[in-house]
Amino acid sequence: MLSPWFDRSSNQTFVTEGLADSRPQPLLILAPPRSGSFHLARLLWQLGYGKPTEYFNRNSLYRTLLSRWGRRPRWQTLLLRWRGDAVWVQKSWLKRLVEERSTRSSLSTTAFFSSKLQPFQLPGSFAQVWPRLQHYLKEAGCTAPDNKSLVLLLRRDWRAAVASYHLSRCSGAYDLGIVPTFQHRPLTDLLKPEALIETAALYRHHLQWLLEATTVAQPLVIHHEDLVANQVDILWRVLQHCDPGLSNLSGPDQLHEAKRSALAVSIARDSSPWVEQRSAWLERIHHLLTQLIDQGAIGLAHETQLLAWVAGDLSPEPTRAL
């Protein structure tokens, strides 16, 4: 998920603000595809909670945009050598990124470095990725990441998410199609049952990766539908979870009026030249998905416990990290 506003952001950085001697709090937004994480990232950006985007996305477009902070290393190398002395080749790149993309919260003045992280952008299970990422971020200048650094955003309407994911995989268009990224399948696969079955299976795989995150690290779990319906209260839950500068406040009513009103900030969505066509295709894909579910061809539809967790009706038991 990417949009032109990413590189039109202010040149004012953590370093130029005179904050380079501070250790920012890390904030990671975990989410499956097409679940509203881009919207949450823009809200946090507006409030000064870092400049979150998919810094760990291996897509070539992201690599190009992020290249001005140096060459990003191959993650496979890091996973093999992350405990080694003086061989941590990623350190300088991530340290520069933390310095340049951290900001102070407009509500508490706590410094933050924030990023989105979707399943499999870093190779391995969450139990494998999390300790390595904790190590990377701490070495790059952040405070030590912990459970308070993680927010998991889910979408209860998983059918709509799968339909949207399928449209994006076949068109290469994310963020309403503003910027094409990587096209996994041709447009001719939009209404092919076998292609949609594959997309649903991938989405199921993403959910299982995130379910492990809740048992290993216990992030704050919120839902896209709740954020849209009650932005102020859900944003407050997120900020009080991750921001130690707000921990002594019982609710947003204790904020100064100007700061409290900032929680209701409205984010204008980028316009798309093909929004009507997109809606029509989503409707057709959703209809095909419903048919496949009725035929028993979508395995995710039979994962009752997994879907109950997505809906917020089931809390997994915490387990010890591997």
Side-chain angles (χ1 to χ4, degrees):
M1 299 179 181
L2 189 64
S3 184
W5 63 268
F6 172 82
D7 258 8
R8 292 204 301 263
S9 63
S10 170
N11 290 326
Q12 189 80 348
T13 66
F14 196 57
V15 173
T16 58
E17 289 172 357
L19 307 177
D21 59 340
S22 302
R23 294 182 70 90
Q25 296 282 335
L27 172 56
L28 296 175
I29 304 167
L30 309 177
R34 319 310 295 156
S35 297
S37 58
F38 186 64
H39 178 65
L40 176 58
R42 295 188 70 173
L43 290 171
L44 294 171
W45 188 313
Q46 187 74 18
L47 293 170
Y49 284 82
K51 295 186 175 182
T53 190
E54 294 178 18
Y55 294 114
F56 304 108
N57 192 324
R58 289 174 283 170
N59 182 277
S60 59
L61 181 56
Y62 271 95
R63 289 200 301 269
T64 299
L65 285 173
L66 298 174
S67 63
R68 63 182 183 274
W69 292 297
R71 183 180 178 185
R72 185 170 60 177
R74 296 178 67 239
W75 290 107
Q76 290 86 345
T77 302
L78 297 175
L79 289 175
L80 292 173
R81 305 173 67 187
W82 74 285
R83 290 186 184 273
D85 295 330
V87 297
W88 190 51
V89 295
Q90 194 234 9
K91 182 175 181 179
S92 60
W93 177 81
L94 188 54
K95 185 176 187 298
R96 177 84 184 276
L97 195 64
V98 168
E99 290 175 347
E100 294 289 340
R101 307 300 281 183
S102 296
T103 59
R104 287 243 189 237
S105 160
S106 62
L107 303 184
S108 71
T109 72
T110 305
F112 276 88
F113 172 74
S114 304
S115 178
K116 290 170 56 181
L117 179 62
Q118 291 189 332
F120 308 111
Q121 287 183 346
L122 298 180
S125 67
F126 182 84
Q128 295 170 321
V129 166
W130 180 226
R132 291 157 172 77
L133 197 53
Q134 288 175 299
H135 175 77
Y136 299 156
L137 289 169
K138 184 177 179 181
E139 289 293 311
C142 291
T143 59
D146 58 16
N147 297 355
K148 295 289 186 180
S149 306
L150 299 173
V151 175
L152 170 57
L153 177 67
L154 296 171
R155 186 174 179 178
R156 290 192 181 94
D157 190 352
W158 64 270
R159 297 187 185 199
V162 169
S164 181
Y165 187 31
H166 187 64
L167 178 60
S168 295
R169 293 186 73 236
C170 293
S171 65
Y174 291 80
D175 186 27
L176 297 184
I178 301 297
V179 178
T181 54
F182 183 73
Q183 190 172 352
H184 297 266
R185 277 186 166 272
L187 283 169
T188 52
D189 283 358
L190 277 170
L191 295 179
K192 285 187 176 179
E194 63 271 20
L196 185 51
I197 291 171
E198 177 187 276
T199 297
L202 284 172
Y203 193 80
R204 172 189 179 185
H205 201 29
H206 282 259
L207 292 177
Q208 289 171 331
W209 191 95
L210 292 166
L211 177 60
E212 183 184 51
T214 64
T215 61
V216 169
Q218 296 178 272
L220 173 70
V221 180
I222 62 172
H223 288 84
H224 169 67
E225 290 86 350
D226 297 337
L227 179 62
V228 172
N230 195 356
Q231 177 176 302
V232 171
D233 286 347
I234 300 303
L235 260 184
W236 175 254
R237 283 186 61 202
V238 170
L239 301 183
Q240 194 172 46
H241 170 77
C242 67
D243 189 344
L246 301 177
S247 60
N248 62 334
L249 302 181
S250 61
D253 291 342
Q254 291 189 281
L255 291 171
H256 185 276
E257 182 179 354
K259 293 183 177 181
R260 185 170 65 249
S261 63
L263 294 174
V265 60
S266 177
I267 301 295
R269 303 189 75 177
D270 297 321
S271 60
S272 170
W274 63 298
V275 63
E276 292 184 4
Q277 295 93 321
R278 181 180 184 276
S279 297
W281 274 109
L282 284 174
E283 185 175 345
R284 296 174 69 184
I285 294 169
H286 197 285
H287 179 70
L288 175 60
L289 179 63
T290 300
Q291 289 182 324
L292 292 171
I293 290 171
D294 291 342
Q295 295 167 12
I298 301 295
L300 177 57
H302 305 291
E303 294 276 358
T304 54
Q305 285 194 316
L306 184 62
L307 294 180
W309 169 71
V310 171
D313 298 329
L314 179 68
S315 298
E317 291 295 325
T319 61
R320 182 173 59 87
L322 300 178

